[in-house]
């Protein structure tokens, strides 16, 4: 079956612009996760959704970052007023349930802020 | 909080050599442990996992044993191939299952 998909695969934006990154999880997976992979910070957890609610937003690095999930499926990560330090690969993952921990990752969106 | 420490790379080996990538962790409770692999140009893939002490995860000739007494989950393979060249990440998940904590990654390069 189809895996986790993300779009766009690459995004170049100017500093100060807003960007939206999209994630389509595996059908039927109730849990959805966003991570960020950057050279200096490795793989960092950003936010987690169970259904449409986000009980854990602890990893969002600033209030410029927000995420939503609708219909228990697609999720959008929005970064407002992008900064150069936001440049990274943004990874989305989904799992059937939160417990058990087997998360399946998408290919990522490479964000470059110029 | 939770943390994962793995040996820094790159690790360079000749084909058919024995591989060990060390991983140790700090966590409260009883986490599940994972190894993920990222091949060049591809996304993260789950390689193997172990959910409780003394469990051994194995896949594609790789294996790792959950050692609670040493808080370790070292990755091993008896004979590496060029196609194993990738970045390997050790990770754990907390009891609530809502986030993976990753180590820094170890790049493996296998030369023919």
């Amino acid at each position: 079956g189809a895996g986790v998909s993300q779009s766009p695969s690459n995004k170049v934006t100017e500093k100060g612009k807003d960007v939206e990154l999209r994630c389509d999880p595996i059908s039927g997976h109730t849990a959805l996760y966003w991570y960020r992979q950057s050279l200096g910070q490795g793989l960092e957890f950003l936010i987690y959704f169970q259904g449409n609610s986000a009980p854990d937003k602890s990893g969002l690095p600033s209030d410029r970052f927000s995420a939503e999930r609708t219909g228990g499926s697609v999720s959008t990560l929005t970064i407002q007023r992008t900064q150069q330090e936001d440049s990274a690969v943004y990874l989305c993952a989904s799992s059937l349930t939160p417990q058990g921990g087997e998360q399946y990752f998408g290919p990522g969106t490479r964000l470059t802020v110029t | 909080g939770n943390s994962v420490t793995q040996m820094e790379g790159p690790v360079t080996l000749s084909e058919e050599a024995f591989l060990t990538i060390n991983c140790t962790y700090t966590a409260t409770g009883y986490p599940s442990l994972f190894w993920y692999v990222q091949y060049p140009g591809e996304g993260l893939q789950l390689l193997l996992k172990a959910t409780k002490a003394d469990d051994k995860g194995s896949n594609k000739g790789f294996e790792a044993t959950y050692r609670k007494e040493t808080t370790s989950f070292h990755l091993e393979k008896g004979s590496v191939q060029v196609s194993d060249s990738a970045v390997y990440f050790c990770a754990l998940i907390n009891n609530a299952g809502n986030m993976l904590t990753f180590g820094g990654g170890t790049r493996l390069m296998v030369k023919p």
Side-chain angles (χ1 to χ4, degrees):
Chain A
V4 177
S5 60
Q6 294 185 245
S7 60
S9 54
N10 278 286
K11 176 72 177 179
V12 179
T13 190
E14 291 180 353
K15 178 181 171 181
K17 301 285 190 184
D18 298 352
V19 294
E20 284 189 354
L21 312 179
R22 177 187 166 107
C23 171
D24 264 292
I26 293 172
S27 177
H29 280 196
T30 62
L32 186 147
Y33 312 79
W34 284 98
Y35 295 86
R36 179 168 73 172
Q37 186 174 23
S38 57
L39 279 176
Q41 302 297 323
L43 273 157
E44 306 169 85
F45 168 78
L46 297 179
I47 190 170
Y48 149 71
F49 287 91
Q50 174 56 37
N52 290 335
S53 65
D56 190 346
K57 302 180 181 179
S58 62
L60 293 177
S62 78
D63 59 7
R64 296 185 295 103
F65 287 71
S66 63
E68 64 176 14
R69 189 180 185 195
T70 55
S73 182
V74 172
S75 176
T76 303
L77 177 69
T78 301
I79 309 173
Q80 296 178 308
R81 305 181 303 281
T82 52
Q83 304 294 312
Q84 287 187 334
E85 62 263 26
D86 300 334
S87 297
V89 177
Y90 289 82
L91 296 171
C92 176
S94 69
S95 66
L96 193 57
T97 62
Q99 289 73 31
E102 193 155 333
Q103 297 181 16
Y104 295 85
F105 282 80
T109 293
R110 180 176 297 279
L111 175 66
T112 303
V113 182
T114 62
Chain B
N2 297 336
S3 67
V4 177
T5 303
Q6 59 183 107
M7 60 191 292
E8 292 189 19
V11 173
T12 303
L13 295 173
S14 298
E15 208 165 22
E16 299 184 2
F18 184 85
L19 168 71
T20 300
I21 300 178
N22 290 338
C23 170
T24 57
Y25 67 91
T26 301
T28 54
Y30 302 94
S32 294
L33 302 175
F34 304 85
W35 277 99
Y36 279 83
V37 58
Q38 191 171 32
Y39 297 103
E42 298 185 17
L44 276 170
Q45 301 174 27
L46 178 65
L47 180 60
L48 53 85
K49 70 174 185 180
T51 58
K52 61 183 187 298
D54 299 325
D55 266 4
K56 178 185 283 188
S58 61
N59 186 26
K60 299 181 180 180
F62 291 88
E63 59 183 33
T65 302
Y66 189 142
R67 300 287 188 200
K68 190 166 176 60
E69 63 277 13
T70 54
T71 62
S72 65
F73 193 55
H74 304 322
L75 182 69
E76 296 182 336
K77 186 175 185 183
S79 176
V80 293
Q81 305 300 312
V82 173
S83 57
D84 294 327
S85 298
V87 181
Y88 293 81
F89 293 90
C90 186
L92 66 81
I93 197 158
N94 58 5
N95 291 340
N98 60 3
M99 62 177 283
L100 281 163
T101 299
F102 287 92
T106 302
R107 181 176 298 279
L108 170 66
M109 300 170 58
V110 181
K111 299 188 173 181

